[in-house]
Amino acid sequence: MEEETSFIDNDDGRRDESILIPIGFNPDVDGPRPSGSTPNIRRDAGVMKRAYTLDKKDFLKRKLGVNINKGDGPSSTIIFDKMKLTVNKAGTKINGATFKDVKIIISKNGKMIYSADKNKESVVNEYKELIRKARIEHSRTPAAMVEEQLERQNLDTPQELVDNVLGNIIERMDDELSNQSEAIGNSTIITENELRELRGILNVKGNSGKQKIEYLEVEKNHWKELAETERTAGREQKALLYEAMADMAELKADEIRLRSNERPKGPKALSIVEEEVGVNDLTRFERFKKWAKENIAGISAVAISVAGIITTVVMGARSATKKGARATSKFAKAVANLAGKVGPVLASVLNLIAKVLGWGAKGIAFLAKNLWILALALTYFLYNEYKKKK
């Protein structure tokens, strides 16, 4: 007889003690802590440990080995809409899941398995078929592409990391399109008609992403053919110009693919993806977490927490930088001001970070690139200060 259950939508109360995210501290956007509230370094400095939410995605990934997202396609959407997680009578742990109000996944010997009840066989089979299709849907998404690269490095793929990488990739592609169009527009050999066609690539018309991509594919091939013709005729400058136009069309098509939750295809877009996975702030944090757990067992939790503070501040500083020098300065001052509201040990950490942020973009780059060095140095400093007080 199956254990009595009740439904839940997300949280089972577990906490992932190694993930650190900003909570309530974004001085550039939100301003300082609300007046009259009690100083709270965990909230203000953004190092409150994240309540780990065992949601449907996490349940599928951790318990069934199925990595999909809602919105990957029609099959994944049905799964997330029609599946509900269940807990035991005491409400202390997840013990399975229902699909279309039929409990098809149960806990047995500490593992999640499909129900063998003959009366549920048709629903179980329908669910398994949807899972099969959903896996295919997910494999076609840019999120899967990022996950594959992270997994090759033996890194975890938390959703916030994947989302951050994808968001940064789109921003970088937009910047690249802007830079390329400016360079082409400044060319001394481009004609007014070619400039109009360039604007047509950047502001492509169409009722859907598919239509826009199809148009841009035609444009790419058109400019490639013209480039070959010009090169054959010995007009190398024009050939290079037309190749740049073809590259623009290809990159714009890939930007639209990303925004439509499809994988990019062109070499330029793929190189941006690979580079961003490598340099992303949260990727660096994941690498440090992995190294810390394997090499400094005794103080790894402290080191990861310190690295989390640095990562949080770096990401906040990058966001402020996009708004200009004034916002960046304001952010650095807010970090320094916060240091005056906490204990002397943690204040030393925040003051150091604030000073480095005062270097502007160079400071942000330094903090990100030297994350592991700073985290280790600050960890041992904190550890020694703690021992002095014992």
Side-chain angles (χ1 to χ4, degrees), residues 44-72:
D44 292 349
V47 296
M48 181 178 287
K49 294 201 170 81
R50 173 181 178 269
Y52 189 82
T53 302
L54 188 66
D55 58 12
K56 295 174 186 178
K57 174 180 170 62
D58 188 76
F59 174 83
L60 288 167
K61 185 175 180 179
R62 291 177 182 265
K63 303 299 182 181
L64 298 182
V66 178
N67 188 19
I68 60 175
N69 292 318
K70 184 175 181 178
D72 287 340

Side-chain angles (χ1 to χ4, degrees), residues 29-195:
V29 177
D30 302 321
R33 172 171 37 84
S35 60
S37 64
T38 305
N40 183 326
I41 183 57
R42 283 173 172 257
R43 178 191 63 224
D44 292 349
V47 296
M48 181 178 287
K49 294 201 170 81
R50 173 181 178 269
Y52 189 82
T53 302
L54 188 66
D55 58 12
K56 295 174 186 178
K57 174 180 170 62
D58 188 76
F59 174 83
L60 288 167
K61 185 175 180 179
R62 291 177 182 265
K63 303 299 182 181
L64 298 182
V66 178
N67 188 19
I68 60 175
N69 292 318
K70 184 175 181 178
D72 287 340
S75 296
S76 67
T77 299
I78 293 171
I79 289 169
F80 280 88
D81 285 346
K82 301 295 183 181
M83 183 181 80
K84 294 179 180 178
L85 304 184
T86 61
V87 294
N88 61 1
K89 188 176 181 180
T92 56
K93 66 177 181 179
I94 289 177
N95 67 358
T98 68
F99 181 66
K100 295 185 174 179
D101 297 326
V102 176
K103 191 167 185 182
I104 61 167
I105 299 172
I106 60 175
S107 177
K108 187 174 182 179
N109 298 326
K111 295 183 178 180
M112 292 295 169
I113 63 171
Y114 289 107
S115 173
D117 189 334
K118 290 292 183 182
N119 295 324
K120 302 175 181 179
E121 186 174 13
S122 62
V123 182
V124 170
N125 288 338
E126 180 186 356
Y127 183 82
K128 287 181 177 179
E129 178 62 12
L130 284 168
I131 288 290
R132 184 188 70 80
K133 292 179 179 178
R135 285 179 186 269
I136 296 172
E137 291 170 354
H138 184 70
S139 69
R140 295 169 178 163
T141 65
M145 177 176 59
V146 172
E147 290 162 359
E148 289 160 11
Q149 292 205 26
L150 290 167
E151 286 164 1
R152 288 192 202 108
Q153 301 176 44
N154 295 316
L155 296 176
D156 290 336
T157 59
Q159 194 62 46
E160 61 267 26
L161 169 53
V162 176
D163 291 344
N164 189 263
V165 169
L166 289 173
N168 289 350
I169 288 168
I170 291 176
E171 284 187 12
R172 289 186 59 181
M173 289 177 74
D174 285 344
D175 290 342
E176 186 69 23
L177 284 165
S178 177
N179 293 337
Q180 283 191 21
S181 63
E182 184 178 355
I184 294 172
N186 290 335
S187 171
T188 58
I189 60 172
I190 193 167
T191 67
E192 285 297 322
N193 186 55
E194 289 164 351
L195 274 174

Side-chain angles (χ1 to χ4, degrees), residues 133-308:
K133 292 179 179 178
R135 285 179 186 269
I136 296 172
E137 291 170 354
H138 184 70
S139 69
R140 295 169 178 163
T141 65
M145 177 176 59
V146 172
E147 290 162 359
E148 289 160 11
Q149 292 205 26
L150 290 167
E151 286 164 1
R152 288 192 202 108
Q153 301 176 44
N154 295 316
L155 296 176
D156 290 336
T157 59
Q159 194 62 46
E160 61 267 26
L161 169 53
V162 176
D163 291 344
N164 189 263
V165 169
L166 289 173
N168 289 350
I169 288 168
I170 291 176
E171 284 187 12
R172 289 186 59 181
M173 289 177 74
D174 285 344
D175 290 342
E176 186 69 23
L177 284 165
S178 177
N179 293 337
Q180 283 191 21
S181 63
E182 184 178 355
I184 294 172
N186 290 335
S187 171
T188 58
I189 60 172
I190 193 167
T191 67
E192 285 297 322
N193 186 55
E194 289 164 351
L195 274 174
R196 281 193 292 272
E197 294 194 60
L198 173 62
R199 295 187 193 103
I201 290 173
L202 294 172
N203 303 300
V204 56
K205 306 295 183 185
N207 295 324
S208 66
K210 183 179 179 181
Q211 283 186 351
K212 292 177 181 180
I213 290 169
E214 287 174 351
Y215 169 81
L216 290 166
E217 286 291 328
V218 172
E219 282 290 290
K220 180 186 74 174
N221 294 331
H222 165 68
W223 292 109
K224 278 188 173 182
E225 289 173 6
L226 285 179
E228 290 177 10
T229 301
E230 292 297 313
R231 183 161 283 120
T232 301
R235 294 185 287 269
E236 185 64 20
Q237 278 191 306
K238 271 292 187 182
L240 291 173
L241 175 67
Y242 293 160
E243 283 176 349
M245 297 279 277
D247 291 343
M248 285 280 292
E250 184 173 60
L251 190 59
K252 183 64 180 180
D254 277 332
E255 184 216 18
I256 293 169
R257 287 190 181 97
L258 272 171
R259 293 185 184 276
S260 302
N261 201 30
E262 298 175 20
R263 285 184 183 237
K265 297 180 179 180
K268 181 62 179 179
L270 294 177
S271 70
I272 289 174
V273 171
E274 185 175 354
E275 184 178 339
E276 180 56 37
V277 170
V279 303
N280 183 271
D281 296 322
L282 289 176
T283 304
R284 285 171 164 147
F285 182 40
E286 286 297 323
R287 289 197 195 99
F288 181 82
K289 281 168 53 183
K290 183 175 182 292
W291 180 88
K293 289 175 181 177
E294 293 172 352
N295 293 278
I296 49 173
I299 56 172
S300 63
V302 179
I304 289 168
S305 294
V306 172

Side-chain angles (χ1 to χ4, degrees), residues 15-36:
R15 290 183 182 274
D16 180 350
E17 296 295 333
S18 65
I19 301 291
L20 299 162
I21 61 170
I23 302 291
F25 175 64
N26 192 342
D28 179 52
V29 177
D30 302 321
R33 172 171 37 84
S35 60

Side-chain angles (χ1 to χ4, degrees), residues 352-373:
L352 173 61
I353 293 174
K355 286 179 182 178
V356 177
L357 286 178
W359 304 345
K362 289 182 180 179
I364 296 169
F366 175 84
L367 286 170
K369 188 175 181 180
N370 297 286
L371 169 69
W372 69 277
I373 298 174

Side-chain angles (χ1 to χ4, degrees), residues 310-324:
I310 297 170
T311 302
T312 295
V313 174
V314 166
M315 292 176 68
R318 287 197 198 280
S319 176
T321 300
K322 292 172 186 176
K323 298 177 178 66

